[in-house]
Amino acid sequence: MNRSWHPRSPGSIADQLYLSAGTVKAHISRILTRTGCANRVQAAVLAHDAGLLTDR
């Protein structure tokens, strides 16, 4: 997981990864569901605490 995904819109992420915004929203939704997080901030904190974030 890269720190740059957190503060950006799904559309911005989609453009960088050559995906549709709907695909990015679906992936984010699945991440939130599987981790039990209520939002992307909680998911980012969880990823940070697990050592999954990279500095880029």
Side-chain angles (χ1 to χ4, degrees):
M1 188 175 286
N2 181 307
R3 288 182 190 192
S4 65
W5 76 275
H6 173 66
R8 298 173 47 209
S9 71
S12 175
I13 297 167
D15 289 344
Q16 183 181 9
L17 299 176
Y18 304 103
L19 300 170
S20 72
T23 298
V24 172
K25 289 178 186 179
H27 284 296
I28 291 170
S29 179
R30 280 194 281 281
I31 290 168
L32 297 178
T33 299
R34 290 180 182 175
T35 60
C37 295
N39 55 51
R40 289 168 53 182
V41 173
Q42 287 182 348
V45 170
L46 183 67
H48 175 268
D49 292 347
L52 299 176
L53 297 179
T54 60
D55 291 322
R56 284 202 323 171

